[in-house]
Amino acid sequence: TKYPQGSEKQLLQAVLGKEVPLRGLPMDVGVLVMNVNTAASLARAVLRNKPLTHRIVTVAGHGIVQPKNLLAPIGASYGDLIEACGGLTADAARVLAGGPMMGFSLPDLDIPITKGTGGVTVLAERDLRAMRETACLRCGRCVDVCPMNLAPTRIALASRAGDYGLAHEWNLTACMECGSCAYVCPARIPLVQLIRMGKVMSKKEAVRKAA
Ligand code: SF4
Ligand code: SF4
């Protein structure tokens, strides 16, 4: 398989040969996609009357002493999970909620994990040094790799400029934030972060205009 093959739209195309419309959902083509963890939780709740209290969380990255998969209680803090994995290494630099491709930086380790938490990634200084941004090279790699056939650089630059109307014209909301574009970008432009920011800011702008 090829990342992001686990994404429901890509999975559907690979397994059933069905294509979900650009802004649509799997249910639009008559399919419901559910991951194994969710299906198991649903079975426990319905068949055994047991609420969801724990999550399996992967704690990994160069900045963690002992990477592990943990069965963690919902509500435990990110700091608790890191402590259970031997703590941070001396050169730990950034803690991400999520994986290296889709995770976002945590401002505070006292934040609790939720039912949606699946991973914690701790980056070290050496990981960040490789991320210094330069100007776009117009190489087109981000376009080639996008599983949604978008133009990531167009959306990201419109978002960075605060032109959310233009970002929507380039199908801002169709981005599933897989992070592939940012990963392959030789200029280290934080494409997915800019797109994510564009989504949040355009929603805020819409609310402000409606008020
Ligand atoms: S994160 Fe980048 S590669 Fe992934 S869907 Fe969005 S624009 Fe495409
Ligand atoms: S991959 Fe990066 S450098 Fe290449 S076109 Fe896209 S944004 Fe520009």
Side-chain angles (χ1 to χ4, degrees):
T1 60
K2 182 179 159 204
Y3 181 84
Q5 193 67 73
S7 157
E8 55 187 17
K9 290 179 183 174
Q10 277 61 39
L11 210 52
L12 257 176
Q13 194 152 27
V15 176
L16 298 176
K18 290 189 174 185
E19 190 167 335
V20 180
L22 191 59
R23 291 179 186 148
L25 294 169
M27 69 173 87
D28 296 332
V29 291
V31 182
L32 176 67
V33 182
M34 196 180 284
N35 69 42
V36 174
N37 217 343
T38 304
S41 301
L42 196 58
R44 271 195 295 271
V46 174
L47 302 176
R48 298 185 194 155
N49 213 19
K50 286 193 173 168
L52 178 66
T53 56
H54 288 67
R55 282 285 299 182
I56 295 172
V57 182
T58 301
V59 185
H62 291 134
I64 194 85
V65 172
Q66 289 175 313
K68 286 179 188 170
N69 287 321
L70 299 173
L71 183 61
I74 293 167
S77 71
Y78 282 90
D80 292 335
L81 269 57
I82 289 169
E83 203 178 307
C85 293
L88 300 173
T89 59
D91 65 342
R94 192 173 295 171
V95 180
L96 306 179
M101 299 292 275
M102 298 179 74
F104 53 88
S105 188
L106 282 171
D108 186 340
L109 295 185
D110 287 335
I111 294 171
I113 66 161
T114 66
K115 63 185 169 80
T117 305
V120 184
T121 306
V122 187
L123 302 177
E125 279 295 339
R126 66 194 126 137
D127 301 315
L128 297 187
R129 266 202 293 277
M131 290 183 187
R132 302 276 183 256
E133 181 179 343
T134 61
C136 174
L137 311 169
R138 308 265 181 240
C139 65
R141 285 190 205 173
C142 55
V143 179
D144 291 342
V145 81
C146 178
M148 301 302 292
N149 299 318
L150 302 174
T153 181
R154 299 282 185 184
I155 309 172
L157 294 183
S159 296
R160 180 175 261 171
D163 190 343
Y164 308 119
L166 182 60
H168 278 290
E169 279 177 31
W170 286 103
N171 289 310
L172 171 72
T173 52
C175 167
M176 61 178 187
E177 302 178 18
C178 68
S180 300
C181 52
Y183 182 76
V184 298
C185 176
R188 295 288 174 241
I189 298 171
L191 295 163
V192 66
Q193 291 84 351
L194 290 169
I195 293 171
R196 198 178 279 152
M197 181 196 75
K199 287 184 185 177
V200 173
M201 296 306 290
S202 76
K203 267 190 201 157
K204 280 190 181 171
E205 195 176 71
V207 169
R208 203 183 62 237
K209 280 184 182 164

